[in-house]
Structures are given as structure tokens and as C-alpha cells.
């Protein structure tokens, strides 16, 4: 019941052999909506770029993004959810963590639990753990530099410990249906992707994306990804743990300080089988409070 109006929060539809569940988290009436939301892209004579070349540009920009990101701290609010008997998503628990970067590595410490600040003793333990993370990073960097010097090259090895980019993850996918759209008031290029049966993945991330279908939104001005949708088309994993097909996740980014697209929200819904036990994971992760050091 929303403002006296009965609203179905879960709708099940069956079409042939397919069943679709439509779940609503929130409903609001008569909110003002910016006219730009309904704008269509301007008809342009500019041809669509080659998607492979576009991914290469995204990959090059990713290095610049990582350099900029090291100057930011931000918070990550992870909300664990489950469905009740009526099919509504309800919040089970939440925790907020503060994330910063040090020499290319991520440091995190918890600052809230279920919407409340940690106790003084718990916060002290979190701060000590952050100090341990810094010490471990120093050891890793020193070990890498030692290996590089022994190999005849100076400096930190490139790529070790760095985050994988979406462009890297999609290199084993078939990229189709490029088109121009408007997203969050900006011109974007959208393309779909699906598994490439001829690709031989090498890393864990490549193996995961090699089984996914979905779509990617790329900002035309910054050549950075602003949204990603992915659905696992086949079960993935080994004997100990396996993610079932149908698992889905969505990542939305926001433009921060007009220089970098950073995560604003991730919605994860998947089933994992560990040995003979099944686990459902339904997380909503919200990122924010981006601040330059």
C-alpha cells in the first residue's frame, strides 16, 4: 500500500516455457522528472566507431583512471537482502567500509554496522587492521621491485595487483549491435556482448566473462564505461563452488569532479553451490562520499 494505492511489488509472467519475475523495490508517485530523461540522441552523420577500437581506447583510459582513483577515498555500503514470503526484498544486514589506495593497492576498514558507528574498541581494531594492510603492501612492493631488479628492469612490475578493466574482461566476447543512446543526460554508445566459443580464457575474470551475456554503455566524450549489465549464461566454477546460470549483476557509474566515472551502485543476484549446499546472494552495494586526498 503506497499512499493509499495497492501496488504489486512482485509480478510473475509466463510466456511459453519462460517465466519472468518483475520485482519492485520502491514506488513513488508524481515525482518531477527532468525533460532530458526523455531526450533521444541527436541524429548525427558521424559513423559509429569500431567497437574493438573503442575497447582499446577504454583500456588505455583505464590506466589514467587508476592513477586518478589513487587520489580518492570513498565509502562502500553493502546491503545483504533476501525475499520474504510475499516476494519482497528485505534488508538483512549492512556494513559500511571506507576505502583508500596506497601504492596502487586498496586499503579498507569498516566504519559502520547496520547503520550504526562501530564501538570505540571495534574501531580501534579496524584501524590496527588498516595498519597491517599497509605493512603487507610495503612487503609486496619491495618483493616486486626486488624481482624486477633481478630481471634487469627497474621499478614496480606493471599490472600486478591492479584491477581488471571491463575492456580486458570483454576481450573474449563477441561484440554486437552498437548504437547511440542518451544515458544520464549524456551521449553514449551501447553495444551488446555474448560468449565467443573460439576464445580460450586464461584468467579467472576472463573465464567468468566468457560465460556472460549483457550490454555496456560507454560515454562518448570520456571513453569510459558508465553502465554494465551481465547475466551468466552457463554455470561456472569447479567441484567445490559453482555459480548457477541466470546469475546477474549490474554496475552503474557516476561522473565525479567531471574527470572520472566511478561506481555509484552495484546490484548482485546469484546462486552459488558450495559442495552440496546452495547459497543465494542478493546484495545491493552503494558507493559514495568520493573525496580527493
Amino acid at each position: 500500500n503506497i499512499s493509499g494505492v495497492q501496488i504489486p511489488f512482485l509480478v510473475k509472467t509466463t510466456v511459453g516455457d519462460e517465466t519472468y519475475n518483475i520485482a519492485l523495490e520502491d514506488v513513488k508517485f508524481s515525482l518531477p522528472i527532468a525533460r532530458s530523461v526523455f531526450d533521444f540522441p541527436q541524429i548525427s552523420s558521424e559513423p559509429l566507431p569500431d567497437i574493438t577500437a573503442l575497447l582499446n581506447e577504454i583500456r588505455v583510459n583505464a590506466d589514467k583512471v587508476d592513477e586518478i582513483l589513487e587520489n580518492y577515498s570513498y565509502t562502500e555500503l553493502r546491503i545483504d537482502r533476501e525475499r520474504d514470503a510475499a516476494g519482497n526484498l528485505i534488508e538483512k544486514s549492512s556494513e559500511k567500509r571506507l576505502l583508500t589506495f596506497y601504492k596502487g593497492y586498496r586499503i579498507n576498514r569498516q566504519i559502520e554496522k547496520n547503520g550504526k558507528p562501530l564501538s570505540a574498541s571495534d574501531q580501534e581494531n579496524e584501524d590496527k587492521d588498516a595498519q597491517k594492510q599497509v605493512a603487507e603492501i610495503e612487503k609486496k612492493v619491495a618483493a616486486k621491485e626486488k624481482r624486477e631488479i633481478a630481471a634487469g628492469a627497474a621499478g614496480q612490475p606493471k599490472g600486478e595487483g591492479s584491477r581488471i578493466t571491463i575492456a580486458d574482461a570483454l576481450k573474449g566476447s563477441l561484440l554486437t549491435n552498437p548504437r547511440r543512446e542518451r544515458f544520464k543526460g549524456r551521449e553514449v554508445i551501447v553495444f551488446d556482448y555474448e560468449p565467443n566459443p573460439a576464445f580460450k580464457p586464461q584468467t579467472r575474470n576472463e573465464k567468468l566473462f566468457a560465460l556472460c551475456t549483457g550490454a555496456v554503455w560507454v560515454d562518448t566524450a570520456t571513453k569510459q564505461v558508465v553502465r554494465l549489465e551481465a547475466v551468466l549464461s552457463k554455470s561456472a566454477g569447479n567441484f567445490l563452488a559453482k555459480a548457477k546460470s541466470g546469475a546477474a549483476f549490474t554496475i552503474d557509474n557516476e561522473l565525479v569532479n567531471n574527470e572520472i566515472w566511478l561506481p555509484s551502485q552495484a546490484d548482485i543476484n546469484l546462486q552459488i553451490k558450495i559442495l552440496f549446499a546452495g547459497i543465494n546472494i542478493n546484495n545491493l552495494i552503494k558507493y559514495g562520499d568520493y573525496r580527493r586526498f
Side-chain angles (χ1 to χ4, degrees):
N1 188 312
I2 305 295
S3 301
V5 180
Q6 295 292 330
I7 300 294
F9 272 67
L10 180 64
V11 179
K12 293 185 177 181
T13 303
T14 301
V15 180
D17 296 331
E18 299 289 337
T19 299
Y20 301 91
N21 292 333
I22 303 173
L24 305 181
E25 293 183 12
D26 191 18
V27 175
K28 296 179 180 179
F29 297 112
S30 303
L31 291 180
I33 301 175
R35 293 184 60 184
S36 60
V37 172
F38 301 100
D39 286 349
F40 287 92
Q42 297 291 326
I43 296 177
S44 173
S45 59
E46 182 182 0
L48 284 165
D50 176 77
I51 298 303
T52 301
L54 179 61
L55 283 179
N56 287 333
E57 287 190 74
I58 296 171
R59 190 176 291 110
V60 170
N61 285 339
D63 291 336
K64 300 176 183 178
V65 168
D66 283 341
E67 291 176 4
I68 296 174
L69 186 58
E70 288 194 31
N71 297 320
Y72 281 89
S73 67
Y74 61 98
T75 59
E76 176 187 277
L77 175 62
R78 183 180 297 267
I79 303 172
D80 294 328
R81 307 172 299 182
E82 67 178 11
R83 295 196 181 278
D84 60 16
N88 299 316
L89 279 172
I90 58 173
E91 181 178 323
K92 293 172 54 181
S93 62
S94 67
E95 71 170 30
K96 180 181 283 189
R97 309 189 74 87
L98 177 65
L99 296 94
T100 58
F101 284 83
Y102 181 69
K103 295 188 176 181
Y105 292 85
R106 183 177 293 173
I107 299 174
N108 73 83
R109 62 188 181 97
Q110 186 176 353
I111 57 176
E112 288 184 9
K113 182 70 174 179
N114 296 326
K116 297 180 180 179
L118 299 183
S119 66
S121 60
D122 287 343
Q123 191 64 68
E124 182 180 359
N125 290 334
E126 286 292 322
D127 293 341
K128 289 180 179 178
D129 181 68
Q131 294 173 9
K132 291 179 181 178
Q133 293 178 55
V134 171
E136 288 297 321
I137 290 171
E138 291 286 3
K139 291 179 181 178
K140 290 180 181 179
V141 171
K144 288 179 181 179
E145 290 177 346
K146 186 176 180 180
R147 290 197 299 269
E148 283 290 295
I149 293 173
Q156 184 177 345
K158 182 174 177 59
E160 291 192 39
S162 61
R163 62 193 180 101
I164 188 172
T165 68
I166 292 175
D168 289 327
L170 291 176
K171 66 183 180 182
S173 300
L174 296 174
L175 311 176
T176 62
N177 192 26
R179 57 214 184 260
R180 293 186 183 274
E181 293 184 5
R182 182 182 291 275
F183 184 73
K184 295 185 177 180
R186 297 178 67 94
E187 298 294 329
V188 296
I189 294 174
V190 188
F191 58 87
D192 302 320
Y193 63 92
E194 60 187 41
N196 182 354
F199 179 69
K200 303 299 181 185
Q202 302 297 321
T203 67
R204 181 176 60 181
N205 288 290
E206 288 177 359
K207 291 177 181 178
L208 177 63
F209 268 87
L211 299 174
C212 287
T213 61
V216 176
W217 285 251
V218 178
D219 182 64
T220 57
T222 61
K223 300 299 190 296
Q224 294 180 37
V225 173
V226 300
R227 180 177 171 85
L228 169 74
E229 294 180 356
V231 177
L232 193 62
S233 58
K234 295 181 181 179
S235 296
N238 52 33
F239 174 74
L240 293 178
K242 176 179 289 187
K244 295 183 179 180
S245 62
F249 61 90
T250 302
I251 300 173
D252 278 303
N253 294 342
E254 63 176 316
L255 186 61
V256 177
N257 288 341
N258 205 35
E259 66 173 352
I260 181 174
W261 287 90
L262 296 174
S264 60
Q265 181 168 294
D267 202 332
I268 304 169
N269 188 354
L270 58 89
Q271 291 181 313
I272 296 178
K273 183 178 181 181
I274 301 179
L275 292 180
F276 302 104
I279 300 175
N280 292 323
I281 297 177
N282 197 317
N283 287 338
L284 179 63
I285 306 172
K286 297 183 178 182
Y287 304 89
D289 300 327
Y290 286 103
R291 298 180 182 179
R292 269 188 171 274
F293 292 156

